[in-house]
Amino acid sequence: MITKHLLAGLAAASVALGAITASAQETTLRGVSAFAQGTTFSQPWEAFVERVNETGTGVIQIDYIGGPEAVPPFETGNAVQSGVVDIANVTSAFYPNLLPAGGALKLATNSIQDQRANGCYDLINDMHRQQVNAHFLARTGDGIPFHLYLTQPIDGPDLSGLTIRTTPVYRAFFTELGANLVQTAPGEVYSALERGAIDGYGWPVQGMLDLGWEEQTTHRVDPGFYQVDVNILVNLDVWEGLTDEQRGVLEGAAAWVEGENANNEGINADERAAQEAAGIQVIQFDDAQTAAWLQNAQDAGWAEVAEIDPDAAAALRGCLTNAG
Ligand code: 173
């Protein structure tokens, strides 16, 4: 009897040990990007994946499945939420259905490092955990402004009579300026321009040359406004199931890729020079119009978030516009 009990005990112990061993083994996450592979807004994510795969050997790896051909951009948030994918590179503008107040992230005037220091990161992460079923792992795109690009010049900040391609990033501001808006994924902008279906589009200062849009673009309006947020999200159940060591590899790569945001100012300058060389002309308003342009952008953006979720807007505004 004693032997029998001992054997049973040993068997139970080895099952438990087996489970521990299995969970400590290398795990592989399936990841996608909402932006085309190899293009500007996939590049930080791709460098992050490489970093995880180098530093996480034997611990955690990422299998980068692909871009918008794998999951359509506006479906990427849903894919993370449901666990169709484990990890994704996506801007909050592509998951407003899940995080309606996410439009605040682009209104930040401070950096993700400031947000980690002042508690804003925790607030944003909690919102993602509750509303997106995702852990907010990293933010890239800091320091990259958005612009209005056109196929014809304009005299002042008035877009009435023009049809402009949008996403939730530009919607409130361009509506305020009187534009007719058409929402498309980035992959549809070129053909919309080619068909003459749009007179312009919103896009960051970086990346339009990557996509060949300079062939269909004559002007960029300066100054830029807002600040890109392209975020790395991990399905929450997957995140909770990782070991501390596995999470540590992801967090180490996240801190590294967020540090790379410091390069954006220099890259922005290179992109402006390359756009000029490609024949893009800059429309620069006078000082009063420039000040009004920037103020309108910010006011329209915050008004939109406040209408959706006044409490979240107030809390986020406090910490996204405060470098301390
Ligand atoms: O214009 C867009 O498609 C958009 O919203 C966006 C957001 C972040 C980076 C690049 C584009």
Side-chain angles (χ1 to χ4, degrees), residues 61-133:
Q61 297 286 286
I62 295 173
D63 178 13
Y64 179 18
I65 296 162
E69 74 291 351
V71 177
F74 294 111
E75 291 294 323
T76 313
N78 294 337
V80 176
Q81 183 193 43
S82 64
V84 164
V85 301
D86 301 319
I87 187 167
N89 177 61
V90 59
T91 173
S92 60
F94 294 173
Y95 52 94
N97 57 319
L98 301 177
L99 192 73
L105 300 193
K106 66 174 184 279
L107 303 174
T109 55
N110 58 11
S111 67
I112 182 64
Q113 287 81 10
D114 295 328
Q115 293 156 31
R116 285 187 185 273
N118 74 10
C120 213
Y121 166 82
D122 292 326
L123 177 62
I124 294 164
N125 188 25
D126 283 346
M127 290 172 66
H128 279 80
R129 292 171 80 99
Q130 283 158 25
Q131 298 175 48
V132 189
N133 190 42

Side-chain angles (χ1 to χ4, degrees), residues 35 41 91 93-94 146 165 167 169-170 184 186 202-204 228-230:
F35 296 92
F41 295 103
T91 173
F94 294 173
F146 295 92
R165 174 270 177 182
T167 67
V169 167
Y170 327 93
T184 81
W203 190 258
V228 166
D229 67 282
V230 176

Side-chain angles (χ1 to χ4, degrees), residues 120-160:
C120 213
Y121 166 82
D122 292 326
L123 177 62
I124 294 164
N125 188 25
D126 283 346
M127 290 172 66
H128 279 80
R129 292 171 80 99
Q130 283 158 25
Q131 298 175 48
V132 189
N133 190 42
H135 180 79
F136 186 85
L137 184 65
R139 172 172 176 158
T140 70
D142 271 1
I144 306 176
F146 295 92
H147 286 265
L148 169 64
Y149 295 87
L150 296 166
T151 60
Q152 56 194 267
I154 51 171
D155 296 332
D158 177 7
L159 304 181
S160 44

Side-chain angles (χ1 to χ4, degrees), residues 222-262:
D222 278 9
F225 49 90
Y226 304 154
Q227 163 154 250
V228 166
D229 67 282
V230 176
N231 310 311
I232 301 178
L233 307 184
V234 184
N235 172 275
L236 190 56
D237 306 299
V238 168
W239 178 258
E240 302 288 0
L242 297 177
T243 63
D244 287 348
E245 189 185 16
Q246 289 166 337
R247 281 196 285 257
V249 170
L250 295 181
E251 282 169 340
W256 173 79
V257 80
E258 288 180 347
E260 295 292 289
N261 288 340

